């Protein structure tokens, strides 16, 4: 009895102390108070100088909070694929901490290829946990710029060529990250579709194309995903830099879409003292005020939103109301993240994250061709592996998404783990031997002084003796490959890989070619391979994921998030003014014109009837699926919806998943350009062998609308629409029609 009264007395004491403490807390510190009240209270206590200090960096990745008020600093981190190692205060090199090796998740191109919203949520949950554990408030990702050209060096960090696919896949990622009290920072806003002269080129895009192709994924990120942060891009749009582009940031993002979060500059992307203040930028980060040139260290006081901003406030060229708007957004970000009432702690490099990384990587691998070489026969004899990408660790490199990972399983290591001494490896070609980036090193030595003739001769000799040859090549994350800051220079595989493939195939037709890349690579040699696999930068577990698919432990279900064309010439970018841009009299920056309009990716190839190597949405399985019985409700009206459905059956003898893709073809209307079809729905379903299921989609008028630039609104034209169900944009297997009334 005495024991219980003591416990009770203790509890009352604790409760009354806690109550007293909350009662005395200033509103901004009180987690029970509504967010906006906390923001206003904090703002009312801040000096002008404190507000300005918040708007610019104090180090490579942080900005100050309000030390006097106990409001924490804001810490950002790259990037979309994992938590970047700590870098030096004033330099890009890693700081040499020993506790910052992360889980490297698959590149976003790999995630997009899963076409699986649940996996995107899993990705967001896990990377959000890693960011929170490492005490980061803003995760600089995901990237969702559209793959306009296969040559864009950063396609690997993005989610493919289709606005609907990108928009659907980005939302769960953001929600997962933010559920951990970490802001997702969607980048790079907007029309930032190449790396060549990325800080010097103006993207000139008509409104219809802007609204239909380049903005929808960002709009979904903000409105459906509820993203708390957006990063402006390096390039210009209509000749104004995007980190302070009035139309993009003030009119569209904060105006039309009602974005209440924080706009951060890309690093060094703010370029003008006045525009940085007035045109929607809230926080400036970077290297030096004019972008990416070298400069004395600790130059943060010279940032556009630092001393020049204070001068403008002092002499009346800038007003405090605009500053307050920026400070409110920054405070909101802090109260949503480090001062979030639900205390999150995250977790880091744990078995659950490795497992998630492996699952996502495997589910995104795309089987492009299979004449029976895959899955690898259990009774397989000698396996010869050829190619640099079987051994090159690729988490390191590529630019700002460079990571230091706790470990990385290469394809060769995973094959050896699965098939033991049956496996041997020869190099075949020498690609890029670099193994470090920003002082993060893989510790490998990839140097090789042999000539390509010697390397091919060795591969051919060994291939002749093998039962199965697996060539593992493609691109890497070095300059002019899948890499930030440069674009690719060719669509084909580099480093003479085609000759190696053809030479091996001539002596051993049982050849599986694995292309590792984050962007489309043409495959003129496709007919000589008996199987082709599109793999990706899969991160920590990349090798295991690949072998899961090659061995059949995982039945492939990835689909291409972009078209693989036969050649660059077939694509929509025909002129230099389209890509990579031209110089024009009287214009300070390079000019690039999106003359192809809405005809990007499959919208171009399908509408013009141009044959491609592998279409958008394409991907095989070890089983087969049959589509039948497409149905559509009769009609669709303003404010209503229509259901369309199809039956899908697993007709093979293995269980497997299929992505059912719904495209819509609009009626032909004179004077109105439309793509032959557009992706408007997809569902990934798992079917046991022999099982069938009806997949139903609901369409509303806004799903079938086009953007009318003159009226500045979305229009659903009347007429007969086709609902096309397929297994890629080029393989439509069932269709039904409905009327828009
Ligand atoms: C990249 C951003 C990145 C930033 C910080 C820039 O070069 O464009 O994507 O988040 O650096 O590393």
């Amino acid at each position: 009895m005495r024991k219980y009264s003591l416990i009770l007395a203790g509890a009352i004491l604790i409760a009354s102390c806690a109550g007293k403490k909350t009662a005395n807390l200033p509103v901004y510190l009180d987690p029970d108070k509504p967010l906006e009240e906390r923001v206003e209270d904090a703002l009312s206590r801040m000096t002008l100088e404190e507000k300005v200090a918040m708007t610019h960096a104090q180090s490579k990745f942080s900005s100050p909070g309000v030390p006097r008020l106990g409001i924490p600093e804001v810490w950002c981190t790259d990037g979309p694929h994992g938590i970047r190692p700590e870098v030096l205060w004033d330099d890009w090199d890693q700081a040499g901490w020993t506790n910052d090796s992360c889980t490297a998740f698959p590149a976003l191109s790999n995630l997009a290829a899963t076409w699986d919203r649940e996996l995107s949520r899993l990705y967001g949950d896990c990377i959000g946990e890693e960011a929170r554990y490492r005490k980061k408030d803003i995760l600089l990702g995901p990237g969702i710029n559209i793959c306009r050209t296969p040559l864009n060096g950063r396609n690997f960090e993005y989610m493919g060529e289709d606005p609907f696919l990108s928009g659907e896949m980005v939302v769960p990622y953001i929600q997962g990250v933010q559920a951990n009290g970490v802001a997702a920072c969607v980048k790079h806003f907007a029309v930032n579709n190449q790396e060549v002269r990325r800080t010097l080129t103006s993207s000139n895009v008509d409104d219809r194309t802007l609204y239909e192709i380049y903005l929808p994924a960002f709009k979904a990120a903000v409105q459906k995903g509820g993203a708390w942060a957006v990063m402006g891009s390096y390039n210009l749009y209509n000749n104004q830099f995007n980190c302070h582009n009035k139309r993009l940031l003030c009119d569209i993002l904060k105006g039309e879409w009602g974005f209440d979060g924080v706009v951060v500059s890309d690093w060094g992307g703010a370029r003008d003292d006045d525009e940085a203040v007035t045109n929607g930028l809230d926080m400036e980060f970077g290297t030096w005020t004019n972008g990416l040139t070298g400069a004395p260290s600790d130059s943060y006081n010279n940032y556009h939103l630092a001393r020049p901003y204070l001068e403008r406030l002092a002499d009346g060229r800038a007003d405090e109301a605009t500053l307050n708007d920026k400070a409110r957004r920054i405070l909101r970000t802090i109260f949503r993240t480090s001062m979030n009432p639900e205390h999150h702690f995250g977790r880091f490099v744990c078995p659950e994250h490795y497992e998630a990384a492996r699952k996502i990587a495997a589910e995104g691998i795309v089987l492009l061709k299979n004449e029976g070489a895959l899955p690898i026969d259990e009774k397989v004899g000698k396996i010869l592996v050829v190619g640099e990408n079987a051994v090159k660790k690729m988490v390191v490199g590529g630019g700002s998404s460079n990571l230091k990972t706790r470990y990385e399983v290469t394809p060769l290591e995973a094959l050896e783990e699965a098939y033991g001494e049956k496996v041997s490896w020869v190099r075949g070609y020498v690609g890029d031997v670099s193994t470090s980036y920003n002082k993060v090193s893989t510790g490998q030595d990839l140097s090789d002084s042999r000539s390509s003739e010697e390397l091919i001769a060795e591969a051919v000799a060994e291939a002749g003796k093998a039962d199965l040859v697996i060539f593992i090549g493609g691109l890497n994350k070095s300059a002019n490959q899948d890499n930030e800051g440069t674009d690719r220079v060719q669509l084909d595989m580099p480093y003479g890989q085609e000759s190696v493939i053809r030479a091996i195939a001539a002596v051993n037709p049982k050849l599986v070619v694995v292309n590792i890349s984050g962007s489309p690579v043409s495959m003129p040699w496709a007919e000589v391979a008996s199987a082709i696999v599109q793999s990706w930068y899969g991160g920590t577990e990349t090798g295991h994921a690949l072998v899961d698919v090659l061995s059949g432990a995982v039945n492939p279900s990835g689909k291409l998030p972009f078209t693989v064309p036969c050649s660059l010439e077939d694509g929509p970018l025909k002129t230099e003014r389209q890509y990579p841009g031209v110089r024009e009299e009287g214009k300070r920056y390079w000019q690039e014109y999106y003359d192809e309009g809405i005809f990007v990716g499959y919208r171009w190839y399908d509408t013009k009837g141009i044959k491609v190597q592998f279409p958008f949405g394409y991907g095989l399985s070890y089983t087969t699926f049959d589509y039948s019985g497409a149905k559509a409700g009769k009609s669709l009206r303003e404010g209503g919806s229509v259901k369309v459905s199809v039956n899908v059956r697993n007709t093979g003898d293995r269980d497997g998943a299929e992505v059912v893709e719904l495209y819509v073809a609009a009626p032909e209307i004179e004077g109105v350009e439309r793509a032959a079809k557009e992706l408007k729905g997809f569902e990934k379903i798992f079917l046991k062998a022999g099982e069938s299921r009806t997949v139903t989609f609901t369409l509303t008028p806004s799903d079938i609308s086009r953007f009318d630039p003159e009226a500045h609104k979305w229009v659903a034209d009347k007429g007969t629409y086709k609902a096309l169900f397929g297994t890629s944009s080029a393989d439509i297997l069932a269709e039904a029609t409905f009327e828009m009334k």
Side-chain angles (χ1 to χ4, degrees):
M1 187 63 199
R2 195 178 128 74
K3 193 169 147 202
Y4 287 120
S5 28
L6 274 178
I7 291 175
L8 190 65
I12 291 170
L13 189 70
I14 292 168
S16 60
C17 289
K20 210 164 146 207
K21 211 173 158 212
T22 314
N24 287 341
L25 277 180
V27 171
Y28 77 95
L29 286 178
D30 186 345
D32 295 331
K33 287 282 185 307
L35 178 80
E36 293 306 319
E37 272 181 42
R38 297 176 74 190
V39 168
E40 289 310 318
D41 182 55
L43 192 70
S44 71
R45 296 167 191 264
M46 289 167 64
T47 66
L48 188 108
E49 288 71 20
E50 284 169 337
K51 292 176 194 170
V52 170
M54 277 190 145
T55 64
H56 62 269
Q58 60 169 4
S59 77
K60 278 274 161 286
F61 282 103
S62 72
S63 73
V66 192
R68 185 178 59 87
L69 298 178
I71 295 178
E73 298 168 336
V74 175
W75 278 88
C76 307
T77 179
D78 283 303
H81 308 149
I83 311 307
R84 189 172 178 158
E86 297 300 326
V87 304
L88 295 170
W89 190 259
D90 246 346
D91 203 319
W92 293 105
D93 285 347
Q94 68 143 329
W97 291 23
T98 53
N99 60 349
D100 58 350
S101 298
C102 67
T103 306
F105 295 96
L108 291 194
S109 43
N110 187 344
L111 174 65
T114 68
W115 295 56
D116 188 329
R117 298 172 183 88
E118 279 172 29
L119 288 183
S120 180
R121 173 68 200 226
L122 176 67
Y123 194 128
D125 283 336
C126 295
I127 196 171
E129 286 178 342
E130 297 234 338
R132 182 36 67 221
Y133 187 85
R134 289 266 312 280
K135 301 187 173 57
K136 304 303 180 194
D137 309 311
I138 302 183
L139 179 75
L140 303 174
I144 44 172
N145 296 91
I146 293 293
C147 175
R148 174 176 180 245
T149 164
L151 301 185
N152 180 12
R154 292 188 89 171
N155 282 334
F156 75 102
E157 290 184 68
Y158 302 146
M159 293 193 174
E161 71 186 28
D162 183 71
F164 180 77
L165 175 65
S166 304
E168 289 293 300
M169 291 299 288
V170 78
V171 166
Y173 178 115
I174 293 167
Q175 291 167 338
V177 169
Q178 296 189 167
N180 289 287
V182 173
C185 183
V186 187
K187 65 190 190 183
H188 306 88
F189 191 64
V191 279
N192 174 218
N193 307 101
Q194 70 188 52
E195 289 299 291
V196 175
R197 293 190 287 266
R198 63 177 175 171
T199 60
L200 295 170
T201 304
S202 175
S203 301
N204 303 311
V205 191
D206 67 87
D207 263 15
R208 178 170 178 203
T209 305
L210 183 69
Y211 276 79
E212 287 190 19
I213 306 291
Y214 297 100
L215 294 184
F218 285 102
K219 186 177 180 191
V222 167
Q223 293 194 331
K224 290 196 197 155
W228 292 334
V230 168
M231 183 191 289
S233 56
Y234 279 134
N235 57 309
L236 305 91
Y237 157 69
N238 289 350
N239 288 293
Q240 188 169 54
F241 278 104
N242 285 357
C243 289
H244 32 75
N245 188 292
K246 183 173 172 304
R247 173 126 204 260
L248 290 177
L249 300 177
C250 302
D251 301 349
I252 298 177
L253 177 67
K254 293 181 175 176
E256 289 177 24
W257 301 349
F259 175 67
D260 74 353
V262 74
V263 171
V264 308
S265 72
D266 200 341
W267 266 234
R271 305 290 288 272
D272 183 273
D273 287 341
D274 293 313
E275 289 181 0
V277 171
T278 54
N279 288 0
L281 177 66
D282 301 311
M283 292 179 100
E284 183 187 1
F285 288 96
T287 318
W288 177 241
T289 49
N290 68 343
L292 301 167
T293 55
S297 67
D298 197 21
S299 58
Y300 304 104
N301 281 335
N302 296 320
Y303 274 37
H304 302 287
L305 290 185
R307 186 183 35 75
Y309 196 6
L310 283 170
E311 286 165 7
R312 279 166 174 69
L313 284 158
D315 66 19
R317 279 177 292 161
D319 60 76
E320 198 166 349
T322 308
L323 175 63
N324 285 343
D325 180 60
K326 295 184 201 303
R328 278 195 186 94
R329 290 171 184 273
I330 299 165
L331 287 167
R332 214 171 272 144
T333 308
I334 295 174
F335 293 136
R336 283 169 167 163
T337 57
S338 52
M339 293 178 83
N340 189 315
E342 299 163 27
H343 252 74
H344 300 279
F345 301 100
R347 54 182 174 160
F348 198 54
V349 283
C350 49
E352 291 81 357
H353 289 182
Y354 301 146
E355 198 190 311
R358 178 170 179 167
K359 187 168 169 56
I360 296 162
E363 294 285 321
I365 291 173
V366 186
L367 180 64
L368 293 174
K369 175 179 177 182
N370 191 14
E371 288 173 349
L374 291 176
I376 297 172
D377 190 337
E378 272 170 29
K379 291 188 231 80
V380 68
K382 203 170 148 4
I383 303 176
L384 176 71
V385 182
V386 185
E388 186 172 284
N389 284 355
V391 298
K392 186 172 168 75
K393 295 195 176 182
M394 287 203 272
V395 166
V396 169
S400 58
S401 61
N402 172 57
L403 296 172
K404 182 164 98 183
T405 179
R406 187 61 67 90
Y407 67 89
E408 177 177 349
V409 180
T410 65
L412 183 64
E413 284 163 354
L415 281 162
E416 284 169 346
E417 204 179 302
Y419 298 99
E421 292 186 346
K422 291 177 176 176
V423 178
S424 61
W425 173 78
V426 295
R427 183 137 182 178
Y429 67 94
V430 175
D432 187 280
V433 297
S434 65
T435 52
S436 71
Y437 192 90
N438 283 154
K439 299 243 165 75
V440 182
S441 166
T442 67
Q444 294 181 293
D445 177 5
L446 294 178
S447 58
D448 196 325
S449 56
R450 288 174 292 169
S451 69
S452 56
E453 290 74 24
E454 286 171 295
L455 291 164
I456 292 180
E458 179 189 48
V460 166
E462 293 302 314
K465 296 183 244 157
D467 296 299
L468 173 69
V469 184
I470 307 177
F471 177 89
I472 305 182
L475 309 182
N476 54 42
K477 290 182 172 175
S478 304
N480 297 124
Q481 306 292 324
D482 284 318
N483 178 54
E484 179 179 340
T486 56
D487 278 355
R488 289 163 63 204
V489 291
Q490 65 193 88
L491 190 62
D492 298 349
M493 278 184 174
Y495 316 125
Q497 292 176 73
E498 179 170 350
S499 313
V500 187
I501 293 171
R502 288 191 186 277
I504 310 168
V507 294
N508 193 334
K510 200 127 186 244
L511 169 64
V512 176
V513 177
V514 178
N515 175 61
I516 296 181
S517 69
S519 46
V521 169
S522 61
M523 303 176 185
W525 41 262
E527 83 277 359
V528 306
S530 66
I532 304 176
V533 172
Q534 171 68 43
S535 196
W536 313 91
Y537 305 111
T540 291
E541 284 286 332
T542 195
H544 283 149
L546 178 61
V547 175
D548 285 344
V549 168
L550 298 180
S551 67
V554 168
N555 190 353
S557 62
K559 301 267 190 162
L560 291 175
F562 44 59
T563 307
V564 178
C566 297
S567 76
L568 269 183
E569 292 67 43
D570 289 346
L573 307 188
K574 305 284 186 203
T575 63
E576 287 206 2
R577 53 178 258 134
Q578 283 175 289
Y579 175 84
V582 289
R583 281 320 306 238
E584 279 175 7
E585 253 318 293
K587 299 251 172 80
R588 180 144 177 224
Y589 296 101
W590 289 73
Q591 301 299 312
E592 182 171 65
Y593 296 89
Y594 287 43
D595 292 336
E596 71 286 357
I598 59 167
F599 297 103
V600 176
Y602 69 90
R603 285 170 169 78
W604 167 262
Y605 297 102
D606 287 0
T607 309
K608 305 286 170 193
I610 298 168
K611 199 177 160 306
V612 298
Q613 186 120 31
F614 295 108
F616 171 78
Y618 184 79
L620 303 171
S621 163
Y622 295 145
T623 186
T624 46
F625 299 95
D626 174 56
Y627 287 54
S628 64
K631 281 198 196 111
K634 259 213 182 106
S635 60
L636 179 58
R637 286 166 204 282
E638 232 15 272
S641 65
V642 67
K643 290 207 183 320
V644 298
S645 63
V646 67
N647 302 325
V648 182
R649 202 164 94 85
N650 180 343
T651 48
D653 54 9
R654 265 176 193 261
D655 303 346
E658 164 72 337
V659 178
V660 182
E661 301 166 32
L662 166 68
Y663 296 84
V664 171
E668 276 183 31
I669 296 178
E670 232 194 279
V672 177
E673 273 192 324
R674 290 299 286 246
K677 58 174 107 58
E678 293 180 298
L679 184 73
K680 294 297 174 189
F682 63 88
E683 214 53 65
K684 190 163 192 169
I685 56 166
F686 178 82
L687 294 176
K688 289 197 169 306
E691 198 189 346
S692 58
R693 177 145 0 132
T694 303
V695 183
T696 305
F697 300 90
T698 304
L699 293 170
T700 64
S702 74
D703 294 322
I704 58 165
S705 296
R706 65 184 165 87
F707 190 77
D708 178 343
E710 274 82 50
H712 196 77
K713 63 172 200 200
W714 292 88
V715 181
D717 293 311
K718 297 195 174 63
T720 308
Y721 287 76
K722 284 188 198 152
L724 307 167
F725 301 95
T727 184
S728 85
S729 76
D731 302 289
I732 301 303
L733 303 176
E735 62 176 84
T737 57
F738 62 90
E739 288 294 312
M740 176 70 208
K741 297 274 189 190

